[in-house]
Structures are given as structure tokens and as C-alpha cells.
Amino acid sequence: MRGPNTKAFQQGFLKNMIFSLQACSEFCISSSASGGAAMMSLQQRKCAIKSSANIAMATARGGRARWPQAVLASSSSPSRRPSKPSSSPGKKKKNTHVCKKIVRRCLHTRRRWRAGTGASSLARTTSTTTAMIGSREIARRLVRKRTKVLRKMIPGGELLDEISLLHEAVDYVAHLHAQVDVLRRISNAVQRG
Amino acid sequence: MSSRRSRSRQSGSSRITRITEEQISDLVSKLQDLLPEAHLQSNARVPSARVLQETCNYIRSLHQEVDDLSERLSELLATSDMSSAQAAVIRSLLM
């Protein structure tokens, strides 16, 4: 399994970023050649870079984690709509076209995902039925509340039980850290060169 | 027979809950190690609710940082052309 700090992960990530940058540039060239709208606005470009970074991170991760599937699912689902580069109202459809290309390219070099098994829910221990609310109960409620928030932050977290959620959280945080690191290196390199 | 079964089932389930609580505390301590140490002292045993809260905040700040970095990158790429950007990315690959 690739850890987020291995060279293999970072190289895979960078390779996917190159793919996505290429797809962006090709799309810009094609759209400007067809006489359509001008170069992508800053906002569009930023969204494209962010989504390509997420896709790159997810595909470079591989393995059995659940969040990559959720990230890829959420980014490729808008691409199912047909994209017409010239007549469409523009911003969203352009992004979906680019997204579709990026996802296809990234996934072409990777193995198929293992089909994830359905999430099994832990047998929840029933809360105490006593009238007194002890400190333990308060702590448990707090933990439950925070777990709910954590579920929203991690892609695909709503389906998981507590232990898998914590596993995913550890994994996701480590990979996000690596993603920030790689993005910083790329922007430093572009600024220098 | 049934009483024996039910007793074994009860002790089995308590064994299971004990194991999962250990697992949970183990994972929580792993999470705590990942978080930036400015907020928490890694030696002290911090309540899990606090660790979860710090994790959420950290994930939020990482998302924000990715956002800022991609904005910066998009500004940079607006000025320079794609080929030089790709060369720069490849250079950072070799580093």
C-alpha cells in the first residue's frame, strides 16, 4: 500500500497533474480555435486545478480506502451531462468536459478499483436508560456530535461506521497534507521557471 | 443450555465492545499524532471529542490551503504558457 509520503505516490500525483494541465491547455486551445469564448477565467481555472488535484490525489492513492471512490464519483458525475462547447451557457459545461477528460486519462493508467463492500454498521451499544446524565454520557454525546461533523468533511464518510471512519480520517488527513505539499512545490517551480 | 448460550453471548459481546474501544482509542491517538502539535501536546492524553474537533478544523484548514494554492497556481498559469508550466512540473518530479 502506498503511503502518502512515498516517492511513488508523489510521482503518481505529479504525473496526473501533468495530464490534467495538458487536458486544460488542449481544451483552451480547442475552444479558442473554434472561435468560442476566450481563455478560461481565473475562477474556472482555479476550479479546474482544484478538481484535478483532487482527482490526481485520489487516483494516485489506489488501495482500499473509500474516500478516493467518493472523490472520483463526485467529480465525474457532472460529466455525464452532454457538453456542447459552443452554445452552452459556458462555465459549468466547460468544466465538466475538462473533468471528464482528466478522469479518463488518470484512470486509464490505473488498475480498476476493487469493488467496495457495503458498509457494515457497528452494533450500537444502547445508551444508558438511567435518568441521571453522567459525565460519560455527555462525553459520548460530544463524540457523537463531532463524529457527525467529521463525516461531512471526509468524502464518502456518511456510509462508514465509526472505526472505518477513523481509519479513513487518518488516511485522508495524511494525503491532504501531501497534496498541499505537492501543490506548493508545483507553484514554486512554476514561479521560478 | 440456553442460559449457557446466552451467558457466553453476553461475555462475547462485552469482549467485542472492549476490543473495539481499544481500537477506537488507538485510532484516535493516531489521529492526534497527525495533527499539528501547536494545538495539542502529543504526550498528554486528550479526550477524543477534542481530537475529533481538531481533526475537523485541520481538514477545513487544509481544504482552504488547497484552495489558495490552486488560486495562486491558476494566476501563475495565466501569465506563463502551458509548456513552461509542464517543464516546471517535470522538474519538480525529478527533485
Side-chain angles (χ1 to χ4, degrees), chain A:
Chain A
M1 195 173 82
R2 298 175 175 179
N5 299 316
T6 60
K7 193 93 185 195
F9 171 78
Q10 294 188 347
Q11 286 184 350
F13 189 104
L14 282 168
K15 210 180 355 165
N16 293 334
M17 282 298 282
I18 291 179
F19 283 159
S20 56
L21 287 174
Q22 264 179 349
C24 284
S25 66
E26 283 174 16
F27 189 73
C28 287
I29 291 172
S30 67
S31 67
S32 56
S34 68
M39 297 281 284
M40 290 159 78
S41 74
L42 208 68
Q43 194 63 30
Q44 290 171 324
R45 203 192 302 267
K46 170 181 150 186
C47 287
I49 289 179
K50 195 155 67 147
S51 55
S52 61
N54 283 330
I55 291 169
M57 175 170 70
T59 46
R61 165 71 176 80
R64 280 179 289 156
R66 197 164 275 276
W67 59 262
Q69 300 178 19
V71 166
L72 290 174
S74 63
S75 48
S76 61
S77 57
S79 70
R80 287 211 194 105
R81 283 186 248 131
S83 56
K84 294 175 189 165
S86 52
S87 58
S88 67
K91 290 188 182 180
K92 262 191 187 170
K93 303 275 173 111
K94 277 190 192 161
N95 268 341
T96 59
H97 192 61
V98 174
C99 276
K100 196 174 169 186
K101 260 193 174 177
I102 293 168
V103 172
R104 217 185 289 150
R105 279 205 192 177
C106 287
L107 287 177
H108 186 61
T109 61
R110 296 283 307 151
R111 301 191 297 266
R112 282 244 185 98
W113 293 110
R114 275 174 54 174
T117 56
S120 60
S121 60
L122 262 183
R124 288 180 207 266
T125 55
T126 56
S127 55
T128 53
T129 50
T130 54
M132 294 183 14
I133 300 177
S135 58
R136 259 197 204 172
E137 179 62 25
I138 293 177
R140 224 176 293 157
R141 282 190 194 167
L142 251 185
V143 167
R144 228 174 284 159
K145 195 163 75 160
R146 306 259 187 255
T147 317
K148 214 186 285 182
V149 178
L150 190 64
R151 263 180 228 273
K152 288 193 203 143
M153 308 284 319
I154 296 178
E158 287 94 11
L159 313 165
L160 298 171
D161 56 313
E162 284 192 23
I163 294 187
S164 314
L165 184 69
L166 289 175
H167 274 294
E168 292 288 310
V170 170
D171 198 61
Y172 188 57
V173 166
H175 282 85
L176 266 187
H177 202 82
Q179 185 189 39
V180 164
D181 192 45
V182 171
L183 277 178
R184 204 176 283 147
R185 278 207 288 165
I186 291 178
S187 42
N188 287 338
V190 170
Q191 199 168 29
R192 246 182 283 133

Side-chain angles (χ1 to χ4, degrees), chain B residues 14-64:
Chain B
S14 67
R15 225 180 293 142
I16 289 173
T17 46
R18 219 176 296 147
I19 290 176
T20 51
E21 278 190 34
E22 267 184 44
Q23 272 187 325
I24 289 178
S25 62
D26 187 39
L27 287 170
V28 166
S29 65
K30 261 195 216 165
L31 258 184
Q32 195 183 335
D33 291 333
L34 276 178
L35 296 178
E37 291 192 9
H39 298 285
L40 308 165
Q41 312 126 354
S42 49
N43 299 322
R45 202 182 149 253
V46 181
S48 23
R50 180 111 176 103
V51 172
L52 291 176
Q53 189 189 18
E54 290 298 323
T55 308
C56 294
N57 293 338
Y58 189 49
I59 291 179
R60 221 171 278 147
S61 72
L62 282 177
H63 280 166
Q64 186 61 40

